[in-house]
Amino acid sequence: MSVTESPIQHGFIKIVSIDHQMAKGRKPDRLSEHKSSLLLTGPVGEEPQMTDKDTKATMGTEDTPGDSASRESQDSKPSVFHNIKFFVLCHSLLQLAQLMISGYLKSSISTVEKRFGLSSQTSGLLAAFNEVGNTALIVFVSYFGSRVHRPRLIGCGAILVALAGLLMALPHFISEPYRYDSASPVDMPRDFKASLCQPESLVPAPSNGSSCSGYTEAKHLALVAIMFTAQTLLGVGSVPIQPFGISYIDDFAHSNNSPLYLGILFAVTMMGPGLAYGLGGLMLSLYVDINRMPEGGINLTSKDPRWVGAWWLGFLISAGIVALAATPYFFFPREMPKEKHELLFRRRVFAVVSQGEDSSSEQSPEESPKKRDGLAQIAPDLTVIQFIKVFPGVLLRTLRHPIFLLVVLSQVCLSSMAAGMATFLPKFLERQFSVTASYANMLIGCFSFPSAIVGIIVGGILIKRLHLGPVHCSVLCLLGALSCLLFSLPLFFMGCPTHHIAGINHQPGAQLELELFPGCMEPCSCPTNDFNPVCHTSTRVEFLTPCHAGCARQVVQEAPNKSQVLYTNCSCVVRDGSVSAGSCDSACSHLVLPFMLLVSLSAALACITHTPSFMLILRGVKKEDKTLAVGIQFMLLRVLAWMPSPVIHGSAIDTTCLHWARSCGRRAVCRYYDHDLLRNRFIGLQFFFKTGSLVCFALILAILRQQDKEEATKVVALPDPPQQLFVSGPEKKLEEFRV
């Protein structure tokens, strides 16, 4: 499930249960029909809510899905597993844990790249691969929705998600220990010595990484294949969790409590990605081989560019939480007793709302046959083959609706922006501002996701309080997208310049160390693929290894808190002839906080469009196609945004690389990026998608205003219209769009 998805996306599942009752020869009760509309629209839907009187009469005279189960449990003590509130609690925790495990990879994407030598394009494909299994199966949820034991299927899906998490961590246990210095994995003193400048006769011929055994390369491919398989299983396991859980809650909750329960479910679920980044921040501060540390310890800190955190540990923790959350689902019944009582604090609000809806609560007999026209409604009557044949026609008919198509395109743009940002923002912060992976994840977990939740809530409140119609909803979306675009402009200018790396790049005005000392590395035999960066602090020039700086000695200066490693007698360095271990510190790391504040503010403004854009879809398509339109919308978001966007962003990041590591003759992980190019292309992609969303919302507003003008012209042109036409014309349409 994507992090911006809403529980409304799977609303079409509920209506299936109504038609399943008809297929069994049982008349569908009015309460069930009411709930199906309620699930689609939240607290106030297009269908009017029933009054307390009607609800009591319906529950007292008509059969409901939970009647038989209720009669059977009258003589026995009710079990906690027959309580819908307990199901809501369990499902909130399960969806929270499921989003944690699906979002955790994004928080550790740069660490996985370094550990297994992956390019950003490959890591982006890996991050998006869980959408493959999910997208392939999600369409069939509407077909199987009323034919399965939903709690057990949710539990099975959750167990599959937990197994996928364990499978993601498996490469750590079957691979060799991480070697941050490739000279020798056994003798640490020899590692340091091999990084120094030594005559060619004393060292083996340098390897450029072009030769390695077939077994090594095959093992590397097997490790990567395991992770791709785990991501696919993660997507497959996630398919039944949200839609079946939502439909189950709406089936057995009181009709007036169902929106509240779904709101609680959605609010808790939205915290999952933020917790995933927080967990990533904690785990990446630990060394990757914490379970198999070398005898002499390690000489790395989390600020060292060679540092790799314990990325695998977060998957184990998340998988354990998912497995625990899945356990209760195997004890929930297929049908539980219907919740009979409305929550006390909702009764007064419901009474006020129902006073204005009593007159419109009766459904005309002509509307009943129309409810059978939609694909989601007739799904239980179709075989799988018939369902597959009918689906493309309904899809094309829905896509021909201009408002629906433009809203989906705008959401595709915003989702593409969100997918790229969620996947590669931690890596961008690490490279651009020289911060640790742990700190970058903490910033994202504390700023970005809470601001996105606030934006969604604010959008819903504005619609509710201002009673916005379709035109005003499009205006709100347009203003949100425009504000998001404007606040993104300063991000192009907030970043750090690229370090001067000797022999790789050159900054104008900087001293050319190798040019000042031509041939300073000639006596040395420096391995071309080694990476042990050192920095000459006075000139802020960085070298790949002490050998590339021509250093012949290593000195360890002991300090009370930590020891500092220095390399001396460096033939390629001016003045004191010494360099310090590690990359050069960034001069503008302090800009990371203002940068994250602007990113979070832009995310909040973009998320304001979330609810109004949904309302445009729900009010803009035909009744019989409304339920499936929401499902089609999220299927298109997965196919057009959440799957390709991480790959597009990863490919753009790869084009800014200055120096690639080599492994077995292939290009592996990037060690240095052009910071200015990285910032312009990463933020530029975000800006492009935001602009596309803005254009789509502007077109929606223009179309809606044109439609209003045409309808107003038709009403004026009618001679002596009957009184009811004024009620069913534009005024009724405006009232219909109110939330």
Side-chain angles (χ1 to χ4, degrees):
M1 185 188 70
S2 307
V3 295
T4 59
E5 290 181 13
S6 165
I8 200 171
Q9 63 176 288
H10 299 294
F12 62 90
I13 306 302
K14 173 62 196 75
I15 302 182
V16 175
S17 63
I18 303 175
D19 296 304
H20 192 52
Q21 295 177 35
M22 299 185 68
K24 293 181 176 180
R26 196 169 61 185
K27 179 182 177 182
D29 52 284
R30 292 176 55 200
L31 188 58
S32 297
E33 295 183 10
H34 165 69
K35 288 187 298 182
S36 64
S37 174
L38 186 63
L39 180 58
L40 286 172
T41 57
V44 182
E46 186 170 329
E47 296 284 341
Q49 294 189 10
M50 301 174 64
T51 63
D52 286 330
K53 181 178 178 180
D54 293 337
T55 302
K56 292 177 181 178
T58 301
M59 294 182 65
T61 59
E62 295 186 15
D63 188 23
T64 61
D67 280 346
S68 58
S70 179
R71 286 192 297 268
E72 292 175 1
S73 60
Q74 284 178 353
D75 299 329
S76 60
K77 184 178 180 180
S79 169
V80 68
F81 294 104
H82 288 76
N83 189 328
I84 193 63
K85 296 183 182 67
F86 184 65
F87 184 88
V88 172
L89 173 63
C90 292
H91 205 63
S92 299
L93 296 177
L94 177 60
Q95 288 197 179
L96 177 72
Q98 183 251 323
L99 275 189
M100 277 184 62
I101 198 170
S102 60
Y104 180 76
L105 176 62
K106 296 177 176 62
S107 71
S108 56
I109 199 76
S110 62
T111 301
V112 173
E113 286 181 12
K114 282 192 284 187
R115 180 64 182 91
F116 298 102
L118 305 179
S119 65
S120 293
Q121 184 184 49
T122 305
S123 64
L125 181 62
L126 177 64
F129 221 68
N130 69 319
E131 302 292 348
V132 174
N134 199 302
T135 305
L137 298 177
I138 191 65
V139 177
F140 295 97
V141 170
S142 61
Y143 176 78
F144 291 106
S146 62
R147 307 183 180 208
V148 296
H149 192 301
R150 285 171 290 181
R152 288 182 186 173
L153 198 60
I154 292 173
C156 292
I159 293 298
L160 193 58
V161 168
L163 292 177
L166 297 178
L167 196 59
M168 275 298 298
L170 180 62
H172 167 76
F173 297 97
I174 63 177
S175 60
E176 298 293 332
Y178 173 58
R179 294 166 53 184
Y180 59 86
D181 195 321
S182 61
S184 173
V186 179
D187 191 359
M188 295 301 292
R190 286 183 57 192
D191 287 351
F192 294 123
K193 190 175 181 180
S195 296
L196 300 177
C197 177
Q198 301 179 69
E200 268 187 61
S201 57
L202 299 181
V203 233
S207 169
N208 60 1
S210 60
S211 62
C212 69
S213 66
Y215 171 77
T216 303
E217 182 66 8
K219 188 172 184 179
H220 172 268
L221 294 176
L223 295 176
V224 176
I226 289 174
M227 291 190 289
F228 273 95
T229 303
Q231 283 292 96
T232 305
L233 291 178
L234 179 61
V236 172
S238 302
V239 168
I241 292 178
Q242 190 182 42
F244 287 163
I246 290 174
S247 63
Y248 193 84
I249 291 172
D250 194 63
D251 273 347
F252 304 113
H254 190 280
S255 58
N256 299 327
N257 294 339
S258 178
L260 175 65
Y261 292 154
L262 295 178
I264 294 173
L265 177 67
F266 182 51
V268 175
T269 299
M270 283 294 292
M271 294 189 293
L275 292 178
Y277 280 90
L279 180 63
L282 294 175
M283 296 302 103
L284 296 183
S285 63
L286 305 174
Y287 185 62
V288 60
D289 288 324
I290 190 174
N291 61 323
R292 47 185 180 184
M293 293 285 284
E295 292 183 3
I298 58 171
N299 290 272
L300 289 181
T301 65
S302 58
K303 293 184 178 180
D304 195 297
R306 298 172 295 170
W307 174 270
V308 171
W311 61 273
W312 53 273
L313 194 53
F315 282 110
L316 295 182
I317 294 175
S318 300
I321 297 175
V322 171
L324 289 176
T327 305
Y329 286 87
F330 296 98
F331 301 96
F332 282 109
R334 182 167 184 164
E335 293 184 354
M336 68 167 56
K338 179 74 179 180
E339 190 178 33
K340 296 181 179 180
H341 302 289
E342 182 184 4
L343 296 180
L344 294 178
F345 68 91
R346 282 191 55 87
R347 288 184 178 176
R348 183 175 299 177
V349 178
F350 177 68
V352 173
V353 174
S354 63
Q355 288 176 3
E357 297 180 344
D358 284 343
S359 59
S360 59
S361 62
E362 294 298 327
Q363 181 182 354
S364 61
E366 292 82 3
E367 291 182 3
S368 297
K370 294 181 180 179
K371 287 182 174 290
R372 299 283 297 175
D373 292 340
L375 176 59
Q377 285 78 18
I378 65 174
D381 300 329
L382 301 176
T383 65
V384 177
I385 302 300
Q386 291 172 332
F387 181 83
I388 295 174
K389 289 180 179 179
V390 172
F391 178 75
V394 178
L395 174 62
L396 293 176
R397 183 177 66 185
T398 306
L399 291 179
R400 281 198 294 265
H401 195 288
I403 299 299
F404 176 82
L405 184 60
L406 286 172
V407 171
V408 169
L409 288 178
S410 67
Q411 291 187 341
V412 164
C413 291
L414 291 177
S415 296
S416 297
M417 175 201 71
M421 188 71 78
T423 305
F424 288 109
L425 183 58
K427 178 174 181 174
F428 178 84
L429 296 180
E430 291 177 50
R431 298 293 185 166
Q432 188 69 216
F433 300 102
S434 299
V435 299
T436 64
S438 176
Y439 184 59
N441 281 292
M442 286 295 185
L443 287 177
I444 296 171
C446 293
F447 285 96
S448 295
F449 284 98
S451 64
I453 296 174
V454 170
I456 294 175
I457 295 174
V458 169
I461 292 175
L462 289 176
I463 294 177
K464 178 71 175 178
R465 293 295 177 88
L466 302 179
H467 304 286
L468 300 182
V471 175
H472 293 95
C473 278
S474 62
V475 170
L476 179 59
C477 291
L478 185 65
L479 291 177
L482 179 61
S483 303
C484 176
L485 193 68
L486 294 178
F487 278 100
S488 299
L489 288 175
L491 300 179
F492 283 102
F493 310 100
M494 299 176 65
C496 301
T498 310
H499 293 158
H500 177 196
I501 303 103
I504 294 179
N505 74 330
H506 168 61
Q507 289 181 333
Q511 283 187 307
L512 299 179
E513 302 295 325
L514 297 181
E515 284 76 356
L516 286 174
F517 301 97
C520 63
M521 288 174 51
E522 285 185 3
C524 309
S525 176
C526 300
T528 57
N529 205 42
D530 274 6
F531 186 57
N532 181 15
V534 292
C535 177
H536 187 223
T537 53
S538 58
T539 58
R540 303 190 66 81
V541 177
E542 191 167 322
F543 297 86
L544 289 175
T545 66
C547 181
H548 287 80
C551 302
R553 291 185 56 197
Q554 173 199 339
V555 177
V556 179
Q557 293 183 347
E558 298 293 340
N561 296 329
K562 62 177 182 178
S563 60
Q564 183 180 9
V565 179
L566 295 176
Y567 297 93
T568 59
N569 296 343
C570 303
S571 57
C572 298
V573 176
V574 294
R575 298 187 182 95
D576 55 358
S578 64
V579 294
S580 58
S583 294
C584 297
D585 293 332
S586 175
C588 59
S589 295
H590 60 281
L591 292 177
V592 67
L593 285 177
F595 183 91
M596 281 304 303
L597 288 175
L598 277 178
V599 168
S600 302
L601 183 58
S602 298
L605 292 170
C607 287
I608 287 179
T609 67
H610 184 268
T611 303
S613 62
F614 266 118
M615 302 313 298
L616 288 173
I617 287 180
L618 293 174
R619 301 296 188 263
V621 299
K622 295 180 179 179
K623 277 187 177 181
E624 61 267 23
D625 292 339
K626 181 187 299 183
T627 53
L628 194 67
V630 177
I632 292 174
Q633 171 201 8
F634 278 89
M635 183 189 71
L636 293 176
L637 290 184
R638 294 178 190 277
V639 174
L640 300 180
W642 290 97
M643 287 173 62
S645 180
V647 182
I648 293 172
H649 280 79
S651 301
I653 291 174
D654 283 342
T655 61
T656 67
C657 184
L658 293 175
H659 178 66
W660 291 93
R662 309 291 297 184
S663 176
C664 294
R666 63 174 178 84
R667 195 174 68 177
V669 66
C670 181
R671 286 174 175 163
Y672 290 106
Y673 290 93
D674 184 324
H675 288 189
D676 295 328
L677 201 57
L678 173 64
R679 183 174 63 255
N680 290 334
R681 293 189 178 177
F682 184 76
I683 302 299
L685 264 178
Q686 300 283 306
F687 196 84
F688 170 78
F689 288 124
K690 293 174 184 177
T691 304
S693 176
L694 180 66
V695 171
C696 290
F697 285 130
L699 292 175
I700 292 171
L701 179 60
I703 292 175
L704 289 175
R705 283 184 171 176
Q706 183 63 30
Q707 290 178 351
D708 281 355
K709 288 181 181 179
E710 293 176 356
E711 292 181 0
T713 304
K714 290 179 181 179
V715 172
V716 172
L718 288 175
D720 299 323
Q723 185 66 28
Q724 62 268 22
L725 290 180
F726 289 102
V727 179
S728 60
E731 292 181 7
K732 179 181 178 183
K733 183 173 182 179
L734 179 61
E735 186 68 24
E736 186 179 69
F737 279 93
R738 289 189 177 182
V739 179

